[in-house]
Amino acid sequence: MAFISKEIIDEIKSRNDIVDVISSYISLNDKNKALCPFHNDHSPSFSVHQDKQIYKCFSCGESGNVITFVQKITNSTFTEALKILADRSGIKLDVNIENKTNNAYSKYYEINETVNKYFKSTILSQNGLNAIKYLEERNISKEIINEFNIGLSLNNKLNPILKNKYEIKDLMDIDICKEINGKIYDTFQNRIIFPIIDENNNVIAFSGRKYLEEDLKDDTLPKYSNSKETIIFKKSGVFYNINNSLQNIKKSKEIIITEGFMDTIRMSSIGYKNVVAIMGTAFTKEHIEKILKWKVEKVILNLDQDNAGIQGTLVAGEELLKNNVRVEVIIFDDYKDSDDFISKKGKEAFDIAYNNKISFIDYKLRYLKSQRNLKDSVEISKYINEAIESLNKIDDDILIELKIKEISKEFDINESVIKNKLKNKEIKLVKQEIKEEKNIRYNKYDISELRILYLMLHHKDVILYFENHLGYLINPKKSSLAYKIIEFRNDYGYFDYGDFIDYISGNETLEETLKEVNKYPNKEEYTERELDEYINTIKEHSVKTRINALKKEMNETLDINKKIEIAKKIENINKEVLKW
């Protein structure tokens, strides 16, 4: 981690009020409380304390300051979170945020980055005037061109430049150029270029769209040509625009999936910042793994409205449901895709379509119905049987009941007939992403340690009292936390909970112990008598441990003088206890 002074860290924190920052990610109520974003919360247990500039969840024990919140909510490092907050508050933070790049592939990423810069500079040059005109006629502004790194390839101008710096073999390995009849040619020629960038901001591939008038008339040329699959580009796991949208996806816990680059760009341009595209209609297990990794709760499918798009939606929806992900679908029947729809009808019309999206099960039943002649009783029967088969695949009893009532009413068929056709299956319990922790039974020693630590964290006087009257704890992890609190106070001459969070950042053992302390139902107030009771309880454990060791030693020795000596030691220990 790059060194950043405490003064800079403090300035960044002071310029980013914790309530303002957290409320930009999650919805806080009037008392600055919310459902915890870090566990499966059912009632608001997440609380933000503006006066102390900290947050706490009294259910799962998560706590911290504005930096740790941004770290956890965006899955970023300490330095990355500082950079986010510095940028937000207009503070220049001169640190390099390194791409999470596989070093074995770094030379390929470097090549693609160089190529991408070339394409971008080309479209902004005199050579790009026709391409810019083509894009602007389709309402793609220069701002959008810049945001999505859209570029331009010329007629075999790239490889002569690159071969002076890179090996031709490396260029061919990632499909920047290719060999035909012994000659080297650029893979992309006379195309508007869309770079494909992964979630770590690595350029992994390119896609080129034809735009020249003579090429548009040539039906033998594909509309788009893509990089072939390479060592760094596997189409099955790629989301186009994930580099721009990932933070918004994590923040909203929702992802909109389209089929094409232009659909994604068009939706993003009217405010939908959590949108991505898959490379074609194929939705894979790699896509699902990423969606689950990002803790997405709802997927909104927005594939093309043609037959291939409909089939892709059905397959993707089924796979997502198997993984307990909520799925909804956007519908606009009279237009091929969202690019076409927004271009012709505008933002307001699309917003209406978005707000009227339907659940996946409704989408599937609607599709199944459209494939049947509902004037024919046999066809109706086939549809109902298909609908029942679809209902058998979901685990929501209430949704099943609602659909049974709808089908029964629509076709005037008894509900019991439909219910009897449903499989007699036990309702599966949906596995929680976050396992419910078993209630931990604490003994009096555990409780005393947790309370002492909590009071040390929130009352600086208790730190000194602990040092003077006890100075240790039983549990090694809790003892380490206590020593770290004292160390912070000694290093800086004061103690602040929010600053202490930064002090232990990256020490997983201390962070987990702190979480355990916060998870215990503590109260802020205390009395000296109460604190003495906790301290004496810890001492009692120490005394019992010493006495038990001495008794064991007494039982093991045959020397009568030794036994007398040990007995006196035990007596002296008991006398010391009476002085407490």
Side-chain angles (χ1 to χ4, degrees):
M1 183 179 78
F3 175 76
I4 303 168
S5 71
K6 187 174 184 300
E7 288 73 23
I8 294 293
I9 293 171
D10 288 344
E11 184 184 359
I12 291 170
K13 288 197 292 188
S14 70
R15 298 268 288 273
N16 285 277
D17 179 76
I18 194 165
V19 171
D20 291 343
V21 172
I22 291 180
S23 61
S24 72
Y25 287 93
I26 62 175
S27 179
L28 296 173
N29 65 20
D30 293 340
K31 295 181 179 179
N32 291 334
K33 291 188 175 182
L35 295 175
C36 180
F38 304 120
H39 81 284
N40 190 20
D41 203 4
H42 300 293
S43 61
S45 56
F46 182 86
S47 183
V48 184
H49 303 271
Q50 194 166 29
D51 56 337
K52 296 181 179 179
Q53 289 292 299
I54 61 172
Y55 67 87
K56 285 184 186 178
C57 174
F58 295 99
S59 179
C60 73
E62 283 288 353
S63 69
N65 56 30
V66 68
I67 301 170
T68 49
F69 179 85
V70 172
Q71 264 188 274
K72 289 171 183 175
I73 202 74
T74 62
N75 192 28
S76 56
T77 66
F78 182 81
T79 305
E80 288 167 342
L82 274 179
K83 186 73 169 68
I84 291 168
L85 291 168
D87 291 345
R88 181 182 183 274
S89 54
I91 297 172
K92 186 177 179 181
L93 186 63
D94 191 16
V95 293
N96 291 321
I97 306 298
E98 295 182 2
N99 285 352
K100 295 167 186 174
T101 299
N102 185 321
N103 289 332
Y105 305 149
S106 58
K107 65 178 177 180
Y108 299 126
Y109 294 132
E110 181 189 333
I111 293 169
N112 275 345
E113 186 63 37
T114 301
V115 171
N116 191 41
K117 287 176 180 176
Y118 170 81
F119 288 149
K120 284 166 64 179
S121 64
T122 303
I123 201 170
L124 298 175
S125 70
Q126 287 295 312
N127 291 319
L129 292 176
N130 287 336
I132 293 284
K133 181 183 177 184
Y134 175 86
L135 290 169
E136 287 182 338
E137 286 173 353
R138 285 152 184 78
N139 295 317
I140 301 298
S141 66
K142 286 184 179 177
E143 289 75 21
I144 294 174
I145 290 170
N146 183 60
E147 179 182 353
F148 289 89
N149 292 284
I150 298 171
L152 179 68
S153 64
L154 300 177
N155 188 13
N156 213 41
K157 302 287 186 184
L158 180 59
N159 82 79
I161 299 170
L162 293 176
K163 68 182 182 182
N164 294 321
K165 185 176 181 181
Y166 302 108
E167 296 289 335
I168 288 294
K169 181 181 181 303
D170 290 336
L171 298 175
M172 293 174 63
D173 282 347
I174 54 174
D175 204 24
I176 297 301
C177 59
K178 56 186 66 180
E179 184 179 359
I180 301 175
N181 297 326
K183 291 186 177 182
I184 303 298
Y185 295 91
D186 292 353
T187 297
F188 298 98
Q189 298 189 39
N190 298 319
R191 294 257 171 174
I192 291 172
I193 300 295
F194 299 87
I196 301 165
I197 304 172
D198 69 14
E199 55 266 39
N200 296 319
N201 277 318
N202 298 309
V203 181
I204 56 174
F206 298 93
S207 182
R209 192 191 200 285
K210 64 182 182 181
Y211 75 98
L212 295 175
E213 191 172 343
E214 58 269 29
D215 289 345
L216 293 171
K217 291 176 181 177
D218 187 350
D219 292 336
T220 63
L221 290 174
K223 185 177 180 180
Y224 283 95
S225 60
N226 300 322
S227 297
K228 69 180 182 182
E229 291 209 340
T230 68
I231 193 168
I232 59 172
F233 174 53
K234 306 298 180 188
K235 189 166 66 172
S236 61
V238 168
F239 285 116
Y240 173 73
N241 193 45
I242 195 63
N243 57 306
N244 291 322
S245 63
L246 183 57
Q247 296 304 332
N248 289 296
I249 289 167
K250 288 181 177 180
K251 177 179 172 181
S252 65
K253 298 189 184 296
E254 295 182 4
I255 185 171
I256 304 171
I257 298 176
T258 72
E259 191 175 322
F261 303 146
M262 289 307 301
D263 300 327
T264 296
I265 292 170
R266 191 72 66 195
M267 285 185 66
S268 179
S269 72
I270 62 168
Y272 293 86
K273 298 300 183 182
N274 58 333
V275 60
V276 299
I278 52 177
M279 306 290 287
T281 56
F283 191 78
T284 67
K285 64 180 177 63
E286 287 83 6
H287 288 127
I288 291 175
E289 285 170 1
K290 288 185 177 181
I291 285 170
L292 295 175
K293 172 186 170 185
W294 298 328
K295 295 182 170 57
V296 171
E297 294 176 358
K298 181 165 71 175
V299 172
I300 299 158
L301 296 173
N302 185 30
L303 306 187
D304 289 358
Q305 306 289 308
D306 58 12
N307 187 59
I310 291 169
Q311 295 303 317
T313 299
L314 292 169
V315 171
E318 293 282 8
E319 290 304 311
L320 287 162
L321 284 183
K322 287 178 187 176
N323 286 274
N324 302 315
V325 179
R326 183 179 166 196
V327 188
E328 294 181 349
V329 185
I330 302 172
I331 295 174
F332 35 85
D333 293 327
D334 297 331
Y335 298 87
K336 180 181 181 296
D337 53 38
S338 48
D339 176 35
D340 184 37
F341 182 82
I342 294 167
S343 297
K344 292 174 180 173
K345 298 287 286 184
K347 178 184 185 309
E348 288 186 10
F350 185 84
D351 288 343
I352 292 171
Y354 179 85
N355 291 330
N356 285 281
K357 56 190 177 296
I358 61 176
S359 70
F360 175 72
I361 190 65
D362 283 330
Y363 178 86
K364 186 175 181 183
L365 294 182
R366 169 182 158 145
Y367 168 76
L368 292 173
K369 192 185 293 184
S370 72
Q371 302 303 299
R372 296 295 175 189
N373 176 9
L374 299 182
K375 294 180 180 179
D376 184 316
S377 297
V378 173
E379 290 282 288
I380 291 173
S381 175
K382 287 180 179 178
Y383 162 68
I384 293 174
N385 280 304
E386 288 170 341
I388 290 169
E389 185 180 341
S390 296
L391 293 177
N392 266 322
K393 294 178 181 178
I394 61 177
D395 289 322
D396 188 332
D397 280 355
I398 295 174
L399 182 57
I400 291 172
E401 188 74 19
L402 288 170
K403 291 297 144 191
I404 289 172
K405 288 182 183 298
E406 284 181 19
I407 295 168
S408 170
K409 184 177 180 180
E410 183 177 3
F411 296 103
D412 194 24
I413 184 172
N414 196 295
E415 288 181 26
S416 61
V417 174
I418 301 171
K419 288 180 178 179
N420 288 336
K421 293 279 286 182
L422 283 166
K423 291 177 184 174
N424 292 320
K425 55 176 183 142
E426 294 180 4
I427 302 302
K428 296 175 184 175
L429 292 173
V430 177
K431 291 181 180 178
Q432 300 292 334
E433 274 296 304
I434 300 173
K435 295 178 182 177
E436 294 294 330
E437 293 186 17
K438 295 178 181 178
N439 288 327
I440 300 172
R441 288 178 175 247
Y442 287 122
N443 59 36
K444 63 180 182 178
Y445 306 116
D446 298 323
I447 293 169
S448 295
E449 289 187 312
L450 291 169
R451 281 294 288 154
I452 288 170
L453 285 169
Y454 183 84
L455 294 174
M456 289 175 72
L457 288 162
H458 295 279
H459 300 277
K460 59 184 180 182
D461 294 344
V462 176
I463 301 174
L464 186 60
Y465 199 87
F466 170 79
E467 284 183 287
N468 292 336
H469 293 81
L470 186 61
Y472 66 92
L473 293 175
I474 303 160
N475 182 287
K477 292 180 180 179
K478 294 184 179 71
S479 196
S480 293
L481 182 60
Y483 296 150
K484 206 70 177 176
I485 292 169
I486 294 168
E487 180 185 293
F488 178 93
R489 192 276 319 274
N490 291 342
D491 284 352
Y492 294 105
Y494 74 97
F495 188 84
D496 177 81
Y497 182 84
D499 291 347
F500 181 69
I501 295 294
D502 297 334
Y503 192 68
I504 65 170
S505 178
N507 189 320
E508 292 183 8
T509 302
L510 290 176
E511 288 175 339
E512 284 301 312
T513 306
L514 181 63
K515 188 187 294 187
E516 183 184 357
V517 172
N518 285 319
K519 195 172 179 182
Y520 183 76
N522 281 290
K523 62 181 188 294
E524 289 278 340
E525 303 78 19
Y526 77 100
T527 64
E528 189 173 307
R529 181 179 177 182
E530 176 194 0
L531 185 55
D532 283 336
E533 286 178 0
Y534 298 138
I535 288 172
N536 288 338
T537 300
I538 303 299
K539 287 181 177 178
E540 175 195 309
H541 181 277
S542 177
V543 166
K544 282 187 175 180
T545 302
R546 287 163 62 196
I547 289 175
N548 287 337
L550 288 169
K551 284 180 177 179
K552 183 181 178 184
E553 186 181 348
M554 184 186 287
N555 291 332
E556 290 175 351
T557 185
L558 299 175
D559 186 337
I560 189 64
N561 292 323
K562 187 70 173 174
K563 286 181 181 288
I564 293 170
E565 182 187 336
I566 292 172
K568 284 181 179 179
K569 285 183 181 180
I570 293 173
E571 182 182 355
N572 288 334
I573 291 171
N574 286 325
K575 284 178 181 179
E576 284 297 316
V577 171
L578 292 174
K579 293 178 183 179
W580 293 354

